[in-house]
């Protein structure tokens, strides 16, 4: 089955810096890659997603890039703010009428003011 | 619209017992997915229901089962509880479930003693 590796497990940055979280996947049939943010004690929330027919997607300070050949995708957060502090999860899933996501282990992002 | 709700929010059971968790999706959403979240294994997909039918299933033993009612509300049942079943159980709903935005509930925290 699909295997998703996520790095780093912890990321500490200063406010205003950029943060990059990387995920690799094993199944070349995966074609949908969402990213979730989970603040402490709260539910996960989708922050951005990308499909395999797109190489990059941006939403304000957040961007995701996908390299299908290398089977990896990354989350980029620019101008980080303390409220960006949370655990971020990547996921990969195969399409074709099903949605069985495999998640990365999560990255704890800490933004120091 | 009201968000996804889950009941109960907290539950304590003993080994060997069974438990039923409930999830009410956002009005109009027909897909409900269930996830198990633990510190050791991260976020893992259990199963997805759509129009009262289990459409997708993750890699969990048969002790984990679910169902969906005609109003899209879903229940998850775990029989013969084991210590390792202690986790946060999250459900998420979406319109059709196929690789689209999923909205998570607050979760049910289950402790098995």
């Amino acid at each position: 089955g699909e295997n998703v590796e996520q790095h780093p497990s912890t990321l500490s940055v200063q406010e205003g810096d950029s943060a990059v979280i990387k995920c690799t996947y094993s199944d070349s049939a995966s074609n949908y890659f969402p990213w979730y943010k989970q603040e402490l004690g709260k539910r996960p929330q989708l922050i951005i997603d990308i499909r395999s027919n797109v190489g990059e997607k941006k939403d304000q300070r957040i961007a995701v890039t996908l390299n299908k050949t290398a089977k990896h995708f990354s989350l980029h957060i620019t101008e980080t703010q303390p409220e960006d502090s949370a655990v971020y999860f990547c996921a990969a899933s195969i399409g074709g009428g099903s949605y069985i996501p495999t998640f990365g282990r999560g990255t704890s992002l800490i933004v120091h003011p | 619209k009201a968000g996804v709700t889950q009941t109960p929010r907290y539950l304590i059971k003993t080994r060997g017992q069974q438990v039923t968790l409930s999830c009410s999706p956002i009005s109009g959403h027909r897909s409900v997915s269930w996830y198990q979240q633990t510190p050791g294994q991260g976020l893992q997909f259990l199963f997805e229901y759509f129009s009262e039918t289990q459409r997708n299933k993750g890699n969990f033993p048969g002790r984990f089962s679910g169902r969906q009612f005609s109003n899209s509300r879903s229940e998850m049942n775990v029989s013969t509880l084991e210590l390792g079943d202690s986790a946060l159980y999250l459900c998420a709903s979406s319109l059709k479930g196929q690789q689209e935005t999923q909205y998570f509930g607050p979760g049910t925290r289950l402790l098995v003693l």
Side-chain angles (χ1 to χ4, degrees):
Chain A
E2 175 66 280
N3 182 49
V4 176
E5 299 282 342
Q6 183 172 346
H7 298 280
S9 57
T10 305
L11 181 57
S12 183
V13 300
Q14 289 295 129
E15 183 177 359
D17 288 350
S18 294
V20 180
I21 302 170
K22 298 181 179 180
C23 289
T24 60
Y25 60 99
S26 60
D27 195 330
S28 57
S30 288
N31 61 0
Y32 177 64
F33 308 91
W35 284 88
Y36 294 89
K37 175 185 180 181
Q38 187 174 27
E39 296 176 61
L40 188 63
K42 296 191 176 181
R43 67 193 77 187
Q45 286 188 301
L46 179 75
I47 54 171
I48 196 167
D49 57 9
I50 192 167
R51 300 179 192 275
S52 59
N53 58 348
V54 175
E56 183 176 7
K57 184 176 179 180
K58 289 183 180 179
D59 183 3
Q60 300 182 332
R61 297 186 296 109
I62 294 172
V64 58
T65 58
L66 172 65
N67 183 324
K68 286 167 50 182
T69 304
K71 291 190 281 189
H72 68 70
F73 55 113
S74 300
L75 177 71
H76 304 254
I77 306 174
T78 58
E79 300 173 23
T80 54
Q81 301 167 3
E83 50 266 39
D84 293 330
S85 297
V87 177
Y88 291 81
F89 295 95
C90 64
S93 76
I94 300 170
S98 68
Y99 179 64
I100 304 176
T102 300
F103 291 85
R105 288 295 186 94
T107 295
S108 177
L109 174 63
I110 303 165
V111 181
H112 299 280
Chain B
K1 283 184 181 179
V4 179
T5 59
Q6 291 185 245
T7 57
R9 293 293 310 278
Y10 304 92
L11 206 50
I12 300 176
K13 291 286 187 179
T14 56
R15 278 182 302 172
Q17 288 187 309
Q18 72 165 17
V19 67
T20 299
L21 313 180
S22 180
C23 173
S24 292
I26 291 172
S27 177
H29 285 193
R30 296 169 64 191
S31 168
V32 175
S33 297
W34 288 90
Y35 300 86
Q36 181 193 66
Q37 187 173 32
T38 61
Q41 297 297 319
L43 202 56
Q44 294 183 286
F45 172 79
L46 280 155
F47 31 65
E48 183 225 0
Y49 284 86
F50 180 82
S51 292
E52 302 178 64
T53 301
Q54 186 182 88
R55 186 162 63 175
N56 295 297
K57 189 177 188 306
N59 191 25
F60 277 80
R63 300 186 297 107
F64 292 82
S65 63
R67 59 177 175 168
Q68 187 180 35
F69 302 94
S70 58
N71 61 358
S72 294
R73 188 177 71 84
S74 177
E75 287 182 346
M76 190 191 95
N77 184 274
V78 187
S79 62
T80 319
L81 284 166
E82 301 177 359
L83 296 178
D85 297 333
S86 295
L88 179 67
Y89 290 90
L90 294 158
C91 77
S93 77
S94 62
L95 280 170
K96 292 181 288 188
Q98 295 180 13
Q99 298 186 338
E100 58 182 8
T101 302
Q102 299 217 319
Y103 297 87
F104 282 84
T108 293
R109 188 164 293 282
L110 172 65
L111 177 61
V112 182
L113 301 175

